[in-house]
Amino acid sequence: MSQTDLLDRAAERLADRRARLTPTRRRLLQVLEAAPGPRTVPELQIDLADIPVSSLYRALTSLEEAQVVIRLRDSAGTGRYELAEWITGHHHHVTCTVCGRTEDVAVGDGLETAIGRLLSDVAAEHRYRISGHRIEIEGVCSACQRH
Amino acid sequence: MSQTDLLDRAAERLADRRARLTPTRRRLLQVLEAAPGPRTVPELQIDLADIPVSSLYRALTSLEEAQVVIRLRDSAGTGRYELAEWITGHHHHVTCTVCGRTEDVAVGDGLETAIGRLLSDVAAEHRYRISGHRIEIEGVCSACQRH
DNA sequence: TTCGGTGCAAAGGGTTTGCATTCAC
DNA sequence: GTGAATGCAAACCCTTTGCACCGAA
């Protein structure tokens, strides 16, 4: 997806919620698009030093409500933001237990099917109405294996 | 595993690290063993009201280093502690998005094996040495569905 | 002119830490 | 006696919020 497309579609989703694609939000999306992985707010502040923290959080909250970005949690409990899956494509994450870096992971149909069965089992046995799931794969990345 | 066994083995693991199974740590393990799912420190304080927060955190850190407990993160980024899997057996979690309660979920061997194999494949593609995986399921529990 | 967005400052909540004290081996 | 464990208070860090002001539809 081109950057123009991304911004246009983000503007649409925001408009659905009577919100606007302001300069702050636009710059935020540009930084997130260029980022190699999910970013924390303190990290975003490096690229957006002139924007107050509270504005960053509020902009991210708006973008999350408009489903343009999603918020993850890293192992330290800090929020990490990335573009939503309709932009980046469906994926999960692997996290290195040594360096803490998180990478995107594309999953096969077989795994998705297995997860689907797990979810319906759980829904039945625990009488839950399932709304979502998160898979965390842990290991040591190739770089850290060499050290 | 009986409670005596649990405490004995915990004592061993602590001893390996020149740490002791003190009354605080013993009570902590008893509360965690009785809990239906991973607990936050604020929750633990309810059952262990006479123990200062800092002592709870330090005891939990020691127990985590001795690999007797593990620390998870819930969707709010808050740490949640539970007994290690060599005590409880491998399992996953389902969390109610309304009341916030987390329950342990047992998964059938067949399904677990299938998921484990698929996750390993995924990780291998990324040159990760896998140490584990966790699936966090979100939904609304039966009690909250009625309200 | 109305309502959303921003900036600033203060507060919130979980978590960590410095330091003195107490305790177990 | 020596290192581990505890208690207390303060500090930390990420995050949220109240309030006043600005700006776009």
Side-chain angles (χ1 to χ4, degrees), chain B residues 75-132:
Chain B
S75 60
T78 305
R80 286 189 172 269
Y81 296 85
E82 68 175 4
L83 298 181
E85 291 205 332
W86 62 266
I87 302 170
T88 61
H90 180 61
H91 63 274
H92 297 289
H93 299 106
V94 55
T95 300
C96 176
T97 54
V98 176
C99 65
R101 237 186 25 210
T102 297
E103 292 175 36
D104 289 351
V105 171
V107 178
D109 285 347
L111 184 51
E112 186 60 55
T113 304
I115 290 173
R117 198 166 40 231
L118 290 162
L119 289 176
S120 296
D121 288 352
V122 164
E125 285 171 28
H126 288 252
R127 307 235 189 288
Y128 263 65
R129 180 155 42 78
I130 289 305
S131 56

Side-chain angles (χ1 to χ4, degrees), chain B residues 33-89:
Chain B
E33 192 191 24
R39 311 294 264 160
T40 66
V41 167
E43 285 167 359
L44 291 169
Q45 282 191 272
I46 297 169
D47 294 299
L48 303 165
D50 58 313
I51 302 178
V53 214
S54 59
S55 297
L56 283 182
Y57 278 108
R58 278 199 263 237
L60 286 165
T61 301
S62 297
L63 290 170
E64 193 188 6
E65 287 170 351
Q67 301 184 59
V68 177
V69 307
I70 57 174
R71 179 175 66 178
L72 314 168
R73 294 280 170 185
D74 63 21
S75 60
T78 305
R80 286 189 172 269
Y81 296 85
E82 68 175 4
L83 298 181
E85 291 205 332
W86 62 266
I87 302 170
T88 61

